[in-house]
Amino acid sequence: MKYYSTNKQEPLVSLKKAVIKGLAGDRGLYMPENVDLLKDFVIGEMKNMTLQEIANVVSLALFGDDINPDTLNEIVNDTLSFDIPVVPVHDRIYSLELFHGPTLAFKDVGARFMARLLGHFIDNEGVKDVNVLVATSGDTGSAVANGFLGVEGIRVYILYPKGKVSAIQECQFTTLGQNIVALEVDGTFDDCQALVKSAFMDEEINAHLKLTSANSINIARFLPQSFYYFYAYAQLDKAGCADQLVISVPSGNFGNLTAGLFAYWMGLPVKRFIAANNRNDVFYNYLQTGLYTPQPSVTTLANAMDVGDPSNFARITDLFSIYPDPYKAIKKVISGYRFTDEEIAAVMRSVYERYGYILDPHGACGYQALIADSLTDGETGLFLETAHPAKFKPIVDDILHADIEIPPKLQHFMNGKKQTVELNKDFPAFKTYLLGQ
Ligand SMILES: *Cc1c(COP(=O)(O)O)cnc(C)c1O
């Protein structure tokens, strides 16, 4: 399979090149040229299959031309060594718990897949010494650091704003050592992101180091997220309630929702999607007006969704560009809702009190969007619970007036020793640092 850039100013590239470059030379995002439709009976059979088996079928359709099936199988099985269960919350509302991986957030799936795929290119296809740069406000850093931990030939630099990520998040990427370097930047998340962007554009640095990104712009990180949409469907199908499925996705950079759209494009019978946002409502406003107007991000309780210019928007419009009126086509498949911090807190409290289910602030947006959308008879609602609530323990405890349990996996990180390199937010210092590597 070849990959094209959403800006269409660059020739088609191979999977290997798309993964190693991250962003296309014309600053566009890579897209698979043609996606196989899975036959109805194949999807119907999935209710009798495990997560790994389903992911193997889907991954063959996506990556089968580029990697031999046995290797792909290994990469997939290794990535998905934990379950992604659908859990009933009440009535016809279900939670897809994406947080049973090593860092307790959905980004584990994409990060682990990407790390193993890059590892394969390094071991077998002559790729050498790759450096992954990521800016994080919390969850990306931990998933990427743990996904890439110990993979030979790859060094990972995580830039994060000093004092602005939670203690639990910080220890998940600062205590690992080995090939993971945590750079503690005296600035904001936007400063970290600006440093990463400048590094990608700096000729001297690029001549010295092979750089790639592990944000959801990278095809290897976002596309494997389509696996669990099929698995979610399969579980609901088995329970006899997958006929009219409405899926609500708490969204920031929209990688997760875009992966869902790919599943839909491959034939997954989803009736419609909902994009759930916090006060960062650029996509919501687009659905209302047809105008896409990026905004500076604002800080909310659901901080992994604090994005003012979602990078995967270009992929969504590209997917629908085959229609005469793409905006109308998008509105037919995706609706949107947005919630304030007060609304998020109220939802978390009421779901806990009424049903005993603990939502994290991101999942709360997903859940409430299903309620706001008022499902019709026969529809089943599924929201993606993107992180374990204990990752946001101080906030969640405060809202629920509870003392929620920290899973052993998280506790384990909290016992490690923090190691970071401190940097100021100015590019020259960062550049000097990278050139010294
Ligand atoms: C990253 C993240 C999101 C947003 O996902 P996108 O793919 O960027 O839309 C939502 N919830 C949590 C917990 C996250 O870490």
Side-chain angles (χ1 to χ4, degrees), residues 380-413:
T380 297
L382 178 75
F383 67 95
L384 274 48
E385 184 36 293
T386 46
H388 192 292
K391 289 196 87 165
F392 309 95
K393 181 171 167 59
I395 296 174
V396 176
D397 280 355
D398 188 44
I399 292 172
L400 303 185
H401 308 298
D403 178 14
I404 66 168
E405 228 176 286
I406 299 184
K409 261 188 248 181
L410 259 188
Q411 195 64 54
H412 163 81
F413 289 109

Side-chain angles (χ1 to χ4, degrees), residues 23-24 55 76 152 214 348:
L23 197 63
V76 166
E152 271 184 49
M348 289 169 64

Side-chain angles (χ1 to χ4, degrees), residues 7-188:
N7 284 346
K8 316 254 163 57
Q9 303 295 311
E10 214 196 45
L12 298 176
V13 299
S14 64
L15 173 65
K16 182 164 91 177
K17 186 150 183 207
V19 174
I20 289 166
K21 285 191 71 174
L23 197 63
D26 61 5
R27 322 290 309 156
L29 277 70
Y30 287 117
M31 295 282 278
E33 196 186 12
N34 41 36
V35 174
D36 286 356
L37 203 61
L38 294 175
K39 298 206 166 58
D40 288 351
F41 80 86
V42 174
I43 295 173
E45 257 313 297
M46 288 182 175
K47 61 176 172 294
N48 304 316
M49 293 161 72
T50 64
L51 168 61
Q52 291 184 346
E53 287 166 347
I54 291 172
N56 277 308
V57 171
V58 181
S59 71
L60 273 176
L62 290 170
F63 306 112
D65 295 344
D66 304 275
I67 309 162
N68 83 58
D70 292 341
T71 309
L72 189 55
N73 213 299
E74 249 172 60
I75 292 173
V76 166
N77 292 351
D78 221 32
T79 299
L80 295 168
S81 58
F82 48 89
D83 197 19
I84 302 182
V86 168
V87 173
V89 178
H90 63 88
D91 304 307
R92 277 168 295 119
I93 306 279
Y94 295 82
S95 168
L96 179 64
E97 293 188 347
L98 291 166
F99 56 68
H100 295 282
T103 74
L104 307 180
F106 83 95
K107 292 188 175 74
D108 280 329
V109 174
R112 285 161 70 85
F113 185 91
M114 181 181 165
R116 280 153 187 75
L117 185 64
L118 258 184
H120 160 72
F121 290 144
I122 288 171
D123 291 343
N124 304 294
E125 302 209 8
V127 174
K128 278 212 244 353
D129 299 331
V130 179
N131 296 274
V132 174
L133 288 191
V134 266
T136 186
S137 57
D139 269 2
T140 303
S142 47
V144 169
N146 284 276
F148 284 81
L149 182 65
V151 181
E152 271 184 49
I154 305 181
R155 244 183 131 65
V156 179
Y157 299 91
I158 314 263
L159 288 83
Y160 75 102
K162 182 184 171 86
K164 294 192 177 66
V165 303
S166 78
I168 292 179
Q169 287 178 325
E170 187 178 24
C171 67
Q172 288 183 297
F173 55 83
T174 57
T175 59
L176 302 171
Q178 298 186 51
N179 59 332
I180 311 298
V181 184
L183 301 172
E184 192 172 7
V185 176
D186 196 1
T188 62

Side-chain angles (χ1 to χ4, degrees), residues 261-382:
L261 294 173
F262 268 92
Y264 176 73
W265 236 248
M266 292 172 82
L268 189 70
V270 176
K271 193 167 176 193
R272 56 199 158 86
F273 289 91
I274 304 178
N277 282 136
N278 57 28
R279 281 208 299 124
N280 296 277
D281 53 6
V282 174
F283 189 79
Y284 171 83
N285 287 328
Y286 167 75
L287 291 176
Q288 307 309 308
T289 63
L291 300 174
Y292 180 73
T293 320
Q295 299 288 338
S297 62
V298 292
T299 303
T300 75
L301 289 177
N303 69 358
M305 290 154 52
D306 294 350
V307 179
D309 184 7
S311 43
N312 287 290
F313 182 73
R315 283 197 169 113
I316 297 179
T317 46
D318 189 86
L319 270 174
F320 286 87
S321 64
I322 55 164
Y323 292 100
D325 185 347
Y327 169 61
K328 210 168 128 200
I330 289 173
K331 279 188 43 139
K332 253 177 111 171
V333 182
I334 314 171
S335 53
Y337 295 92
R338 59 163 176 204
F339 303 103
T340 63
D341 277 357
E342 291 70 28
E343 289 169 315
I344 291 171
V347 171
M348 289 169 64
R349 209 172 292 127
S350 88
V351 170
Y352 180 59
E353 281 167 7
R354 293 174 67 183
Y355 310 109
Y357 192 81
I358 303 177
L359 292 165
D360 97 291
H362 306 80
C365 295
Y367 167 86
Q368 190 59 18
L370 282 176
I371 302 301
D373 203 62
S374 47
L375 303 179
T376 59
D377 278 350
E379 287 183 340
T380 297
L382 178 75

